[in-house]
Amino acid sequence: AQTVTQSQPEMSVQEAETVTLSCTYDTSESDYYLFWYKQPPSRQMILVIRQEAYKQQNATENRFSVNFQKAAKSFSLKISDSQLGDAAMYFCAYRSEDSGGGADGLTFGKGTHLIIQP
Amino acid sequence: GAVVSQHPSRVICKSGTSVKIECRSLDFQATTMFWYRQFPKKSLMLMATSNEGSKATYEQGVEKDKFLINHASLTLSTLTVTSAHPEDSSFYICSARVTGGFNQPQHFGDGTRLSIL
């Protein structure tokens, strides 16, 4: 079974600064997907960024980028120019590329609570 | 695009009541939908995978008779918590994946907060 570990229960950053959220995972599979989701107080899960394991290039989405280290099984999220609206719980998630049988739900980490200080 | 509607958003009911939660994909078809459970300040745990026209696949430890899942159409999956008890109180979230888009991300509903008195 796959596991996802987020070792930072809470992180705090000054507005406009850069913050990095850590995520490691354990898997025996070679092909898979990794995601970062944001869950604001409204509780809706919002996709921030995704990474295919077969791609060596790190994914970027505007102020959000990842540092994907496949050999180290590490998938950190960097948020540049932090904004007040970035405050939320951030979850790292793993999904098999092909688990077969249609059972391919996400495995989530425990989350990191990101606080943005004005 | 890719909007998932979950209803109701909040349910408060007495112990022993059965509660049905709906998950609808509004602007796309979803052969596969997923049901997650989230305890306060905890992560999301996959409960089951719902496939249109077939039986749901439940994760280990999830009671099939307790959490009934029906996925009768390409846009609707329902989760029924049967004879709910206080320990079933939680936040339930569904997600849906675009039909034919195995490589597509899951789109989440807004969740349902279930409180059993």
Side-chain angles (χ1 to χ4, degrees), chain B residues 19-64:
Chain B
V19 179
K20 179 184 285 188
I21 303 170
E22 294 186 347
C23 180
R24 294 181 184 273
S25 55
L26 297 186
D27 51 0
F28 66 97
Q29 293 185 332
T31 303
T32 304
M33 293 186 177
F34 305 88
W35 287 96
Y36 295 86
R37 182 174 181 177
Q38 185 178 28
F39 291 100
K41 299 184 179 181
K42 298 291 185 181
S43 185
L44 283 74
M45 299 296 294
L46 178 66
M47 298 175 64
T49 302
S50 170
N51 294 300
E52 187 268 338
S54 64
K55 291 183 178 180
T57 302
Y58 289 81
E59 295 300 301
Q60 189 174 8
V62 178
E63 299 177 59
K64 299 178 182 181

Side-chain angles (χ1 to χ4, degrees), chain A residues 33 35 37 39 42-47 50 52 89 91 95-111, chain B residues 4 32 34 36 38-46 49 51 57 59 91 93 97 101-110 113:
Chain A
Y33 297 88
F35 305 85
Y37 280 90
Q39 188 179 39
S42 65
R43 305 306 296 271
Q44 185 180 23
M45 296 292 286
I46 302 168
L47 178 65
R50 63 177 293 192
E52 291 89 341
M89 282 292 291
F91 292 96
R95 203 202 83 189
S96 298
E97 191 277 331
D98 182 9
S99 62
D104 57 336
L106 296 170
T107 300
F108 285 89
K110 291 185 176 181
Chain B
V4 176
T32 304
F34 305 88
Y36 295 86
Q38 185 178 28
F39 291 100
K41 299 184 179 181
K42 298 291 185 181
S43 185
L44 283 74
M45 299 296 294
L46 178 66
T49 302
N51 294 300
T57 302
E59 295 300 301
F91 191 67
I93 308 177
R97 192 180 67 231
F102 185 87
N103 296 329
Q104 296 300 311
Q106 296 177 24
H107 303 284
F108 285 82
D110 288 344
R113 178 162 300 286

Side-chain angles (χ1 to χ4, degrees), chain B residues 64-106:
Chain B
K64 299 178 182 181
D65 296 333
K66 177 72 169 178
F67 300 99
L68 301 179
I69 292 173
N70 183 277
H71 194 158
S73 78
L74 288 172
T75 59
L76 173 65
S77 175
T78 60
L79 168 68
T80 301
V81 183
T82 61
S83 187
H85 292 286
E87 58 267 27
D88 299 322
S89 298
S90 190
F91 191 67
Y92 293 87
I93 308 177
C94 74
S95 70
R97 192 180 67 231
V98 176
T99 295
F102 185 87
N103 296 329
Q104 296 300 311
Q106 296 177 24

Side-chain angles (χ1 to χ4, degrees), chain A residues 7-63:
Chain A
S7 58
Q8 307 154 316
E10 187 174 280
M11 290 284 285
S12 181
V13 64
Q14 292 282 342
E15 191 176 3
E17 296 295 309
T18 296
V19 64
T20 298
L21 307 184
S22 301
C23 174
T24 58
Y25 57 94
D26 188 26
T27 183
S28 59
E29 299 173 334
S30 58
D31 294 320
Y32 47 86
Y33 297 88
L34 295 165
F35 305 85
W36 277 98
Y37 280 90
K38 169 184 177 181
Q39 188 179 39
S42 65
R43 305 306 296 271
Q44 185 180 23
M45 296 292 286
I46 302 168
L47 178 65
V48 175
I49 201 166
R50 63 177 293 192
Q51 174 83 41
E52 291 89 341
Y54 66 85
K55 290 186 177 179
Q56 293 185 339
Q57 186 174 5
N58 290 324
T60 62
E61 286 289 342
N62 300 315
R63 298 183 294 106

